[in-house]
Amino acid sequence: MSISSKLKFLNTNTSSRLLSLSLLALISGSFASGCVLTRDPPKETPVPRVLYNFDSCDDLLSYAKQHATESLDEYGSLYGEGDWIDEGGNFEDGGDGAGEGETGGGDGGPQPGVDYSDTNVQEVGVDEPDLVKTDGDRIVALADGKLHHIDTKGSPLLTASLDLGGYSYGSEMFLYEDRVLLFERVEGYYYGEPEPGEGGDEGEGDEGIEPQVDLPDQVKAWLEGAWIPITRITEIDISNPAKLEIVAKLYVSGDYLSARRIDSVSRVVLRSSPIGLTFKSPWDFFYSELGWENYPETEEAWNEAWQGFVEQAKAYNAELIDASTLDNWVPHFVFEDVGSGVISEGLLLDCVDTMHAGVYSGLRMTSVLTIDLEQGLTPEGSVGLFADAAIVYASPENLYISTRAWVGGEGWQSPGWEGGDVDDGGDPGEGSTSATSASSTSAGTSEGTSEGTGMDSIGTVTESASSGGSGDMGGAQDPDASSISFRAGDEEETGLTSYLHKFAIPAGEKAIYTASGEVRGRLLNQWAMNESRGDLRVATTDQQSWDWDSNESFVTVLREEEGELMMVGQVGELGKGEEIKSVRYIGDVGYIVTFRQTDPLYTVDLSDHENPKVAGELKINGYSAYLHPLGENHMIGVGFDGTDEGQLLGVQVSLFDVSDINAPTRTHSVALGDFGWTEVAFNHKAFLNWEPTDLTVFPVESYSWDEEMGTESWFMGAAGYTITPEAGIEPLGTVTHMTDPNDPWKDGNPSLRRSLVIGDLLYTVSESGLKASSLADLSDQAWIDW
C-alpha cells in the first residue's frame, strides 16, 4: 500500500503524528512533476539538467539529510538567496497563442469569442485561473473575501455570495460546468510562543497570534511554533444560483504557484517547505544566554561569543536534521469532505513519485497535483521534485517547469561589533521561519562560491558539479563536458543557467516526466516559453554577475531527444546591456522587447528552428510590457511611455505594423498622462480585446496635480479604445467605480481588475462591485455592490 493510501483515512483522533509536528521555515528547493520515466540513480557526475527518481523512501530521506547538513556546514543555514517568483501573483506580461481558451458553453449555448469573452490566456484550449469567470449566462467573481454569482441572462442580478471564511490572498479559480475550483493562499499565522526577540512591550504576545482563518485542527498543528504558507483548494457547487455550496476542501502545507486546466482536468503547481523542523540561529542563543543587558564590552569578546553561538546553532540544527523523518521533508495534506464531515490527512507525495535534479536545487519541494472535476476534488495524483520552481508553462499536451540551481546565502556571518549596539539587520534568525532561494532573482545574485554544490554564486554549473544523490552513486561515468552542461569547461563564464523540465499531461493521468534541458539566462515569465511543431522555444536574458552592461538576450530552440531537451538552434545578441520586458510568439515569428533606455522590439524569424535569426528591429522610447495580435499583420502593445534618457512616464498603448518581418513599425500610439500604472504590465489576464467590435479595454490608474488650484485628483478605472489597422487607436471612453475623484477610496476599493463582454454589455469588476456598461459607448447601465 502506498504512503498516501496508508495515511489518507486517518481519523482525527488518531492523527497524533501530524499534530505533534511543529513547523519550520522556508528553505530553497522546489519544483516539478510526474514520474513514469524511470532514470537510474545518478553516477559520480550526474547531468545537472536531468531529473532522477529516488530508489526508496530511505533514499529520499538520505538525500534531504545530506544536503541539509552540507548547507549548514557550508553556510550555517539552509537558506539561499533571492526571492520566489510568484507566478500566482501574476508578475507576467507578453505572450503566445493568438486567442482565448475554450471553457464552458455546450452545443446551442453561448459561445466564447462570439457571445462572450473568455479569460485572455496564453494557449488556445489551455485555461488559466483568474478572479472572474463566465460561461455567457453567469459570472462568478472573487471580491471582498467572497465568491459572487451574477445571473446575466437578463438584467445582471447578484443571486448569491459565499463567504470564503477569513483572510486569504492571491485567490483565483477555474469554472467548469457547475463547479468552481478555487485556489487560495491562506494566512495562517503561527501558534504557540513567539520567537525570542519578537513582539513589542514586555508581556505582549505571550499567548501567540491566532490565525484569521478558521482552520481544521490538523492544519493548525502545522503552525505550532512557526509559520509556513498554506494553500487551500476548494470545490464549490454553483448549480443552484441562490445557494453556492462548498463540496470539499484540500489544505496543503505549501504555497500555490500556478495552475492550468484542459477540459475537466486541472494541473496545480505547489511549493512546500519542510515541516516540524524549528531551526535556530545564533541570535536565538545570543538572546537566551546574554540578552541585551550583557552585551560584550569589546570587539574581541563579541567575536568570541558570536562564534560560540554559531557553533551552538550548527550543532543544534545538525541534531535536528539527523533526527528528522520523511514527514519533515514531504508536504502534507488535510482533506475535508464537507458533506460527510470526514477529515483525512497524510503525505501528498509517494516516494516513488518524487525526484531531484542532477544539480542540487534546494530542499523546497514542488508538487504537481492533478484534479479531475469529473471525479471531484481529491488529494491523490501528485508528483514532486526537490528543486526551486520559478515559471510554469503549458501547451495542450505538455507542462513545462523552469528551475534554477540552489545558491547559498551569506549564512551566519557576524554582523560586527558596534560598541554595544547590536545591528541585527541581517539576523538569520528572522529567517528561521522564512527563507528564500535564488531561483527567481531578477537581476543576478551575490558573489561567492557554493563549494558544496559545485555551483558558483549565480547558478553556473562547473565541471566539478557534485552529485545530487544521497551518497550511493554507483559506478562512475566519464561523459563529454557538453553532456554535463553547455558551460562546462568554460570557467570564465559566470552567467545564469535555467533548467527546463517537460511533463506529459495526458487526460486522466498524473503528470509524467519526459525530458529536461538547459538554457543560458533567466526567463521573464510563462510567456518566455512556447511549444511549436514539437519543439520548445525559450527567450532568456543572461547576465555576468552584477554587470548590467553584460546583459544579453537569446531565443533558444530545444528538441526532445532520448529523454533530454537538446538545443537545436539559438540566436543571441538581443538587447546588449538590456533585459527582456515582454515576449510574444505568433506563428513562426518571435517578438522580443528589451529595455534599458529605449525599447528595441526585435522580430525573430523562427521558420527554421535549427537556424533562428533576428529579422528586424524597432527602437522607440519606453517599452511595451504586453503584446497582443491584431489580425495577421498588426500587434497592440500596452506599456509605458519614456523619455530619451530612459525615464518611464505614464501608460501608453501602441499599434505596430509587423507585416514586414524585416521592418516592424509603430503606426499609432496614445499616452495616458504623465504618471500612471496598469495591471496589464504584469498580468495579461487584465487585458481584453473583443474582436467583434474592435474593442480593447484595460485597467488604468493615474494621478494628477493641479498646481494652479492646488488640488489633486485620481483616476482608477478602465480605458476603452477602438483599434483597427485602418483608423489606428481611437478612444471610446472610460469606466470607473469611483464615486469621488478626490477621494478614490471613499466607498471601498474601486481599482478595476477585470473586464469582460457578454452580449452587448461590458462588465467591469473591482473589490467594490460590478458595473455593466454599454458596449457601444461605455455608458453606465447597471451597478451591483458587493
Side-chain angles (χ1 to χ4, degrees), residues 433-474:
T433 57
S434 174
T436 53
S437 94
S439 75
S440 59
T441 2
S442 61
T445 51
S446 68
E447 298 181 0
T449 301
S450 174
E451 298 177 1
T453 60
M455 304 295 296
D456 70 17
S457 64
I458 48 181
T460 303
V461 182
T462 69
E463 285 187 300
S464 61
S466 71
S467 163
S470 59
D472 181 12
M473 305 313 301

Side-chain angles (χ1 to χ4, degrees), residues 165-215:
Y167 178 74
S168 63
Y169 58 101
S171 304
E172 51 188 20
M173 63 184 164
F174 286 129
L175 170 63
Y176 176 74
E177 296 182 348
D178 286 330
R179 286 292 194 267
V180 164
L181 190 63
L182 172 64
F183 311 105
E184 300 172 275
R185 295 178 176 92
V186 176
E187 184 61 78
Y189 290 104
Y190 67 85
Y191 280 76
E193 296 297 321
E195 294 293 322
E198 293 184 1
D201 297 335
E202 185 176 353
E204 286 188 5
D206 290 342
E207 297 180 357
I209 303 175
E210 294 292 316
Q212 298 181 12
V213 180
D214 183 17
L215 302 174

Side-chain angles (χ1 to χ4, degrees), residues 660-676:
D660 183 354
I661 189 176
N662 299 301
T665 61
R666 184 169 69 175
T667 60
H668 300 84
S669 66
V670 174
L672 283 68
D674 293 335
F675 304 98

Side-chain angles (χ1 to χ4, degrees), residues 139-153:
I139 295 172
V140 286
L142 291 169
D144 195 31
K146 299 176 182 178
L147 176 66
H148 307 280
H149 182 284
I150 300 95
D151 187 338
T152 62
K153 291 189 290 292

